[in-house]
Every structure is written in C-alpha cells, then in structure tokens.
Amino acid sequence: MVPYHKEESVPSDDTQSRTRRVDARRNEKTLLDAAARVFADQGIDAPVRQIAAEAGVGVGTVYRHFPQRSDLVIAVYRHQVDACVDLGERLLRRGSSPLAALEEWVDAFVDFLVTKHGLASVNGGQADEGGLHAYFLDHLVPVCERLLEAAREAGEISTDIGAYELMRGIGNLCLFGGDDTRYDARKLSHVLLAGVVSHRAADGE
Amino acid sequence: MVPYHKEESVPSDDTQSRTRRVDARRNEKTLLDAAARVFADQGIDAPVRQIAAEAGVGVGTVYRHFPQRSDLVIAVYRHQVDACVDLGERLLRRGSSPLAALEEWVDAFVDFLVTKHGLASVNGGQADEGGLHAYFLDHLVPVCERLLEAAREAGEISTDIGAYELMRGIGNLCLFGGDDTRYDARKLSHVLLAGVVSHRAADGE
DNA sequence: CGACAATACGGAACATGGTTCCGTATCACA
DNA sequence: TGTGATACGGAACCATGTTCCGTATTGTCG
C-alpha cells in the first residue's frame, strides 16, 4: 500500500530480496547436491524424507526451499534442460539439414530422459498432468518448434504436428517402468520421428 | 507332504473349489458394477475406499475378491480387452490389406485407452512397470504380433519393431494427463504407426 | 556488544491412499 | 439345527507428500 518507505516491494525477478541468510543459502546447495545423489541411485521417486536425511536437514527445510517435491526435481535438472535448449540453438545455427538437426536434438533429449530413470514422469500439479513437467515443456517447446519449422520449410517434413505435441509424445515414450530390456525408448522415438517425416495428415487431424 | 488324505491340493485351474457362497458371488458382481461406475466418473485413480463405499462393502471385501487394486481395474475392463483381441482376429481373417487391418486395430485399441481416462496407467506390481498392465499386454501382444507379421509379409512394413514394444509405445502415448486439448493421443499413435511403416532400422537397432 | 525482529530450522502431526489383520457374521452341508 | 468353512467389516498399519509451529540462528541497529 504505502508507495515509498523502504524499497522492497516489486520482487520482480531479482534473485534474492536481500542478503539471504547464509545457512539458508548453504542448505539449498546441500539439498540440491543430496537430491542429485539420491535421485541418481534411487530414481526420481525417492521419498522426500530420504533426501532430507541425506542432506542432514529436516523435511520442513526441504519444503521451505522447494514448495513442492517436483520443484526440487526441476531444480536438480534445470541445467541439463538448459543445455538441451542450447544444443538446439547451436544445431539451428549449424547449416546442415534441418531434419538431421531435429533428429540429433531429439536423440539428445531422449538420452537425457532415459538416463535419469523415470525423469519423464515428474508431475507438475496434482496427478493431473502426467509426463513432462511444465518447466521442461516451457523451455523445450520453443526450440523444438523452430527445429520443426526449419525442417518443414526445407520440405523435409510433411506432418503438421506441433512442437508441444511432439515433446509430450516423446516424453511419454520415455516413460517406461522397470528396466525392461524389451522396451527401448530411443528406438520408439526414432520410429515416431520417422512418422513425423512421412505421415500425411488425414482428414480430421 | 501327505500324499492322500482329502482331495484339495493341486488347485490347477478349476474355477471354484466348490459351491462358492452366494454372498461372495453377489458381492463380486456388486463390486465390479460399483467400480465400473466409480471409474467412469472419477477416473481409474479413484481410491479403493470409495469403490468399497459405492458398493456398500468394507475394504476387506474388496481385497478378498481382488488382491490388488489393479486386479479390480483389470477385471472391470477385461471384456473390452477381449473384444479387442476378437477384433484383431476378425481383421486378420478379413482378406484386405494387412496394414489397413493393423491401423484399424490400433485405432480401436487407442480409443479404448483414451475413452477411460487414465486407463493406460494401471500399474501391475509396484511403481515398477508404468504403462499397460501385464494382463493387457499378455492378451494383446500375440494379436498385434500376427497383424504386424502379416503386414510385414505383405511387404507393407519394413521396420523390425516387435509387437511388445509397439504395444507399450502406444500405451505410453495414450498416457496423458488432464484434458489437455493440445495433446491428441490418437494423432500421435497414427504418427507412430506411420513411422513403423516407413522407418528403416538403422545400425544399432 | 547486546537486544530484537526476521528468517530458517526440525520434526511431529496431518492427509491420503494402498494393504493387512482379525474378531464376528453368514453360509453350506450334514 | 449344529458346526466348520468362508466371507465380511473396518480398524489399524505403512508409506508419502505436505503443513504447522515452537525453537534456533542470523543480521542489524542502538
């Protein structure tokens, strides 16, 4: 309400309101590291309590830093998603075949999802949206869109599928359970992509 | 250990040991109906307690008839899976293009999964195997295998993808969350199938 | 330096959902 | 009708995510 008087409103996007307590900052890092470790050898379904224990903090602290479990997962893998975005942009600049670029990019993305077991299943809100979390989608869809568009302009693709739909589809394909040797998400994603190349949109689609 | 003495071992596959109590049989039917109703308007994630309540029985009764939650789901949709198997066989007998048959069959399957919201995500064991349940897979894979084989023999398909993998892939594609209008599982399954038709297996695959 | 308020912490407690247990009620059969 | 087998009900248990709140730590100001 009071318009002047101590500048602290309008948090906009400044990283921290002001000197965040050192213990807080330390704990956040500790948590991120602990979570990365736990996720690595127990999968992203590891219980929050366990991560808290690994970090040597209480669950309350986890939730102070990451309001929802999924926020922690996102935070842990954020940089990998960013790397994927970068890769996409680099591939775009590279002059070669847009389709080849798209294929390479999808491969990298699938690899990322498959590597961390079960990463693809991080839920955003409730049990509502299965599949990729909004953060991933928000960042990856634009890149995918451009790759797709480039390939389309080059006449290498005929399907009118959207980037969002493709991302979700791939994310879902990477959603496997167990270490089933009979199912290879990478292979399926290749097949899907082959379909994107050759599929002619039918009437209702 | 004792080899004789009352015949009751070797349960093999006889439907019921002897006259099953009428209340038991009645409750099973009641449960199946209640579950179908609850699943229909709350999705297959509805709590067991709720189904028990709808059926007017205790949870213990639910678990007596269906040892695991997923068994109940399976039981509710078993006949639809069977119908899908039948359809496959009918399509096989029909003389037309094997590929067309496969496409029609996949469509029917996808429709089945999409219609019941979230059906595709019934877990078998723990959180191990996401996607289709073993029962579904066990029954559908053989049919799919034959359809696929027929199409391959007719030279309409080049990919060496297996029926199991295809079923799982399609199941995963149907695994969506929310009623996202931007994602159409049917369309994605068509694209995947188009990929099956055109995709040439590369080196490592 | 010492007090105070803001910030952060820990972990018990709550909510939800699957599953198990066991005392009691009901049924089949003699 | 008596009796053992079968089935039932639902409290209780376990696991998980998440919230709450009393206590501890930290930064700042007098």
Side-chain angles (χ1 to χ4, degrees):
Chain A
M1 308 311 186
V2 189
Y4 48 102
H5 202 47
K6 269 188 175 180
E7 77 304 271
E8 56 101 314
S9 50
V10 189
S12 63
D13 70 319
D14 60 333
T15 318
Q16 64 274 342
S17 38
R18 197 59 35 68
T19 48
R20 200 153 58 116
R21 275 173 52 168
V22 293
D23 53 349
R25 203 150 25 192
R26 174 165 35 83
N27 272 330
E28 179 169 329
K29 172 123 180 59
T30 305
L31 265 171
L32 243 18
D33 291 350
R37 228 172 306 139
V38 173
F39 287 158
D41 66 64
Q42 315 223 1
I44 31 65
D45 287 329
V48 173
R49 282 167 179 72
Q50 180 135 349
I51 295 163
E54 172 82 19
V57 305
V59 282
T61 301
V62 177
Y63 279 91
R64 162 167 303 275
H65 291 280
F66 307 96
Q68 288 189 142
R69 210 197 109 75
S70 57
D71 294 328
L72 178 54
V73 180
I74 304 287
V76 168
Y77 295 112
R78 188 191 300 266
H79 59 295
Q80 303 214 37
V81 172
D82 293 346
C84 208
V85 171
D86 287 349
L87 173 65
E89 282 162 357
R90 218 166 330 119
L91 288 172
L92 271 166
R93 276 194 296 277
R94 183 182 83 186
S96 66
S97 149
L99 176 57
L102 177 62
E103 285 173 336
E104 190 172 336
W105 186 74
V106 167
D107 272 359
F109 178 53
V110 169
D111 239 59
F112 164 55
L113 290 182
V114 169
T115 299
K116 333 288 159 200
H117 38 314
L119 216 209
S121 63
V122 197
N123 279 357
Q126 305 291 41
D128 283 312
E129 34 178 332
L132 269 17
H133 183 283
Y135 177 86
F136 291 170
L137 253 14
D138 286 349
H139 287 241
L140 296 170
V141 165
V143 181
C144 181
E145 183 66 63
R146 279 192 283 157
L147 285 160
L148 220 39
E149 190 50 40
R152 199 141 31 211
E153 278 176 11
E156 297 177 316
I157 278 180
S158 54
T159 315
D160 66 339
I161 194 171
Y164 175 82
E165 207 160 23
L166 179 57
M167 288 284 84
R168 288 273 296 216
I170 291 175
N172 279 353
L173 287 180
C174 293
L175 219 37
F176 62 104
D179 13 59
D180 197 328
T181 55
R182 293 169 298 175
Y183 184 79
D184 181 350
R186 273 169 266 245
K187 179 169 178 178
L188 265 294
S189 78
H190 287 172
V191 175
L192 183 66
L193 215 44
V196 169
V197 172
S198 71
H199 182 66
R200 287 240 62 122
D203 323 8
E205 308 186 341
Chain B
M1 308 314 183
V2 189
Y4 48 100
H5 201 49
K6 269 190 176 180
E7 76 306 85
E8 54 100 312
S9 50
V10 190
S12 64
D13 71 317
D14 61 331
T15 318
Q16 64 274 341
S17 37
R18 199 62 36 69
T19 45
R20 199 153 60 116
R21 277 172 51 169
V22 294
D23 53 349
R25 203 149 26 192
R26 174 164 34 85
N27 272 329
E28 179 169 328
K29 172 122 180 60
T30 305
L31 265 170
L32 244 17
D33 290 348
R37 228 172 307 139
V38 173
F39 288 158
D41 66 62
Q42 316 224 0
I44 30 66
D45 287 329
V48 172
R49 283 169 179 73
Q50 180 135 352
I51 295 163
E54 172 81 20
V57 305
V59 282
T61 300
V62 177
Y63 279 91
R64 161 167 304 277
H65 291 281
F66 307 96
Q68 289 188 142
R69 209 198 109 76
S70 57
D71 294 327
L72 178 53
V73 180
I74 305 287
V76 168
Y77 295 112
R78 188 190 302 264
H79 59 294
Q80 303 214 36
V81 172
D82 293 346
C84 206
V85 172
D86 287 349
L87 172 65
E89 283 163 356
R90 219 165 331 119
L91 288 172
L92 271 166
R93 275 193 297 277
R94 183 182 81 182
S96 66
S97 150
L99 176 57
L102 178 61
E103 286 173 336
E104 189 171 337
W105 186 73
V106 167
D107 271 0
F109 178 53
V110 169
D111 239 59
F112 164 54
L113 290 182
V114 169
T115 298
K116 333 285 159 201
H117 38 314
L119 215 209
S121 63
V122 197
N123 280 356
Q126 305 293 42
D128 283 310
E129 34 177 333
L132 269 17
H133 185 282
Y135 176 86
F136 291 171
L137 252 14
D138 287 350
H139 287 242
L140 297 171
V141 166
V143 181
C144 181
E145 183 67 64
R146 279 192 283 157
L147 284 160
L148 220 39
E149 190 50 41
R152 198 139 36 211
E153 279 176 11
E156 297 177 315
I157 278 181
S158 54
T159 316
D160 65 341
I161 194 171
Y164 175 81
E165 209 161 22
L166 179 57
M167 287 284 85
R168 287 274 294 217
I170 290 175
N172 279 352
L173 287 180
C174 293
L175 219 37
F176 62 105
D179 12 59
D180 197 328
T181 55
R182 294 169 298 175
Y183 184 79
D184 181 350
R186 273 168 265 242
K187 178 169 178 179
L188 265 294
S189 79
H190 286 172
V191 175
L192 183 66
L193 215 45
V196 170
V197 171
S198 71
H199 182 66
R200 287 238 63 120
D203 323 8
E205 309 186 341

